[in-house]
Every structure is written in structure tokens, then in C-alpha cells.
Amino acid sequence: NFGQWMEQLFKHEGICVWTDEEYEFMQDERRVWPEGCTMMGITDESGNYLYVDLKPQALGYMDVGVYTDAQCIQDYTGEESHLALIEKEYKNNNDDGDGQDDDDDLLSLETYIEKWNDAFNIFKYCQPCRAYDLGWNTDLTEGENRQGGQDDEDGNGSYFTCKDDAGYRNVNQCMKFKTKTDMEVADIEDIILANNQGTINYINVQGNHLGTKSILQSSRAPMGLLVGGFLLSLVVAGVGLILFVHAWKKLKEANSSLSEPLHPEGELA
């Protein structure tokens, strides 16, 4: 489940690339996301119960969606927004019965999601297996700010040294993901579900075209650009070669005419 994945990512690397405030927020709120299609305690305009689940967005962003079916495929398109419905569900589940308005205790869902996605932007760059530190948070063992890029007391060059939330130093994250999480290859049902949700890029599966082509991310665009660029470079190279040969011939003819005397040998003007 993604809860295990988040736990490993956060405590071994998030702790070293986020600020203290970001790390605390992400650790607390990772448990709030729904794990699977879950029935809500509220209904639509026709009295049918609604469902909530994750809703992946473009560019790796996360969101939550409200659906009308138990598989969370059909989006709710009623009068209220999905954010308003989910916030209403939260209030119903966390009503302490004192009759007081708990709005002050509730971070708006829109702000919450934006804050969450902003923190994940650091992971949109290619990551090494070895954990590293950006020096923005507090050293859990010494209670001091980590100064990323400085040497330790022995001058051993602790550049980007990450002492994580589990007591490791520059741990191999790939090993942790392999041993501590249950990762599986997406099967055809997973791909079809993502296709039905409209959150998968264009892909060809056993001759079936699934997903949506986009300008920014297309499975065929890079290859087409490469082939087009290669053919264009061949044309340019060919034209350049022809011009070079033509210029070389002209230069040779000019040199040949200069080597001949203006008057035949023995004749004077």
C-alpha cells in the first residue's frame, strides 16, 4: 500500500530535504488520504451514497475525488464541489458535539492539497538511491541545524550527509523500498482503471490504445522528434557537402588560371 511507501520515503529522505514544518505536516497528513474507494456518510441529490478515493492528476500531483459508484470510476457531477463534500464529511466525522464551529481547526482541503503537492516537488527530479541532506531541517540526534555542505568535526566532508528519522546515515533508499514495501507490477486491470479515471498518458497495451496523448508527455513525441531531427541533420549535411565541393572546384580553377603566364614565354609586351 502507498502508506508503507510514504513511510519509507518520508523518514529516510523527506526528513533531509524538507524543512521541519514540512516534515511534520507530511508525516501527520499522510495518514489522512483514503486508501481505496471508500463510501462516505453523505449522499447525492437522489439519496445515493457517495464514495471518495485518490484522484491522480497530471505532472504527478495528487487530489481526492468524489464518485457515485463503489469502484470510484464515475465522477460525481452534482451541485456541490468535491472539495465542499469532503470537507463536510470531515466535519461530520470529527464533530465533538459541543455545538461549536470547528472551522478554525480545519485546514481548507484546497490549501492542504496544495501544500502537500508543493512538498513533493523536490521528488520530481531524478533521485539517487543514496539519501542526501539539503541542510534545511534539525539534526534529530544533536538538536542543531544541519549545515549541508560543511565538514564534520573531523573534517571528513559531510557534504549532504543525511541522518534520517530511523537513525541511519545516507541509507540506501532502493534497498528500503525493496525490503519494506510490497511493490507489484501494474496488471491490465490497474491500467484499465487508470484509463477509466482519465489519469494515464497514452499507452499501447496489446494493440489497445489507452490513455490520452498530451503535448508535454507523449509516448511517441520524443521518437518522432528524434527521427525528424536526424533527417533534417542529414539534409543540412548533404547541402553543406555539395556547397563545399562546388567551392573547392571553383578555388581549384582559380588557382590553375593564376599559374599560367599572361604572355607566352619569350614574348614581351
Side-chain angles (χ1 to χ4, degrees):
N1 59 62
F2 67 81
Q4 293 176 330
W5 175 80
M6 288 183 183
E7 178 186 4
Q8 296 301 315
L9 180 67
F10 291 7
K11 72 180 182 181
H12 293 303
E13 184 57 46
I15 180 64
C16 291
V17 296
W18 290 326
T19 64
D20 290 340
E21 189 274 334
E22 285 177 319
Y23 181 65
E24 181 180 0
F25 170 80
M26 298 296 280
Q27 280 287 40
D28 289 342
E29 303 305 327
R30 69 179 175 85
R31 301 174 178 86
V32 177
W33 293 92
E35 293 196 35
C37 191
T38 306
M39 187 172 71
M40 304 173 69
I42 55 180
T43 61
D44 61 13
E45 293 78 3
S46 301
N48 301 311
Y49 280 101
L50 297 171
Y51 298 80
V52 62
D53 199 0
L54 291 178
K55 191 175 183 65
Q57 300 295 312
L59 305 179
Y61 290 119
M62 293 176 61
D63 197 357
V64 285
V66 175
Y67 306 90
T68 58
D69 64 298
Q71 292 182 310
C72 289
I73 296 176
Q74 300 297 325
D75 287 304
Y76 166 77
T77 58
E79 298 177 357
E80 294 190 76
S81 70
H82 72 286
L83 295 177
L85 289 171
I86 294 173
E87 288 187 349
K88 182 186 295 185
E89 175 81 351
Y90 177 89
K91 291 179 181 180
N92 292 341
N93 293 337
N94 293 274
D95 184 7
D96 53 17
D98 60 2
Q100 300 294 320
D101 190 353
D102 295 330
D103 282 348
D104 292 339
D105 300 327
L106 176 63
L107 180 67
S108 74
L109 184 59
E110 185 176 5
T111 302
Y112 162 86
I113 295 175
E114 181 180 354
K115 191 174 182 179
W116 175 275
N117 285 322
D118 285 345
F120 258 116
N121 281 334
I122 185 65
F123 293 106
K124 292 183 180 179
Y125 301 92
C126 185
Q127 301 288 315
C129 284
R130 186 72 64 182
Y132 59 93
D133 193 342
L134 295 181
W136 291 344
N137 54 4
T138 301
D139 192 319
L140 299 177
T141 58
E142 300 177 6
E144 299 177 356
N145 289 335
R146 303 181 195 176
Q147 300 298 321
Q150 294 186 356
D151 293 343
D152 56 23
E153 295 178 356
D154 299 325
N156 293 324
S158 58
Y159 200 54
F160 299 141
T161 297
C162 173
K163 289 178 283 185
D164 65 27
D165 206 357
Y168 292 95
R169 183 186 294 265
N170 295 121
V171 70
N172 186 330
Q173 299 177 85
C174 298
M175 176 271 294
K176 285 295 182 180
F177 284 129
K178 181 178 180 180
T179 58
K180 298 295 184 178
T181 63
D182 182 17
M183 297 186 295
E184 299 179 359
V185 177
D187 58 25
I188 187 63
E189 292 184 357
D190 296 325
I191 298 175
I192 292 176
L193 178 60
N195 177 70
N196 290 337
Q197 291 177 331
T199 53
I200 188 174
N201 286 327
Y202 178 84
I203 187 174
N204 188 322
V205 181
Q206 298 178 351
N208 298 312
H209 300 287
L210 303 175
T212 304
K213 293 183 179 180
S214 72
I215 297 176
L216 294 177
Q217 295 177 331
S218 172
S219 58
R220 293 186 176 182
M223 181 59 69
L225 290 175
L226 288 175
V227 173
F230 176 71
L231 293 177
L232 179 61
S233 65
L234 289 180
V235 173
V236 173
V239 172
L241 180 60
I242 292 173
L243 293 176
F244 173 78
V245 172
H246 178 73
W248 179 77
K249 287 183 176 181
K250 288 291 186 182
L251 180 61
K252 186 176 180 180
E253 291 175 359
N255 290 335
S256 176
S257 63
L258 290 175
S259 64
E260 298 179 0
L262 296 176
H263 301 281
E265 187 175 352
E267 293 185 4
L268 296 177

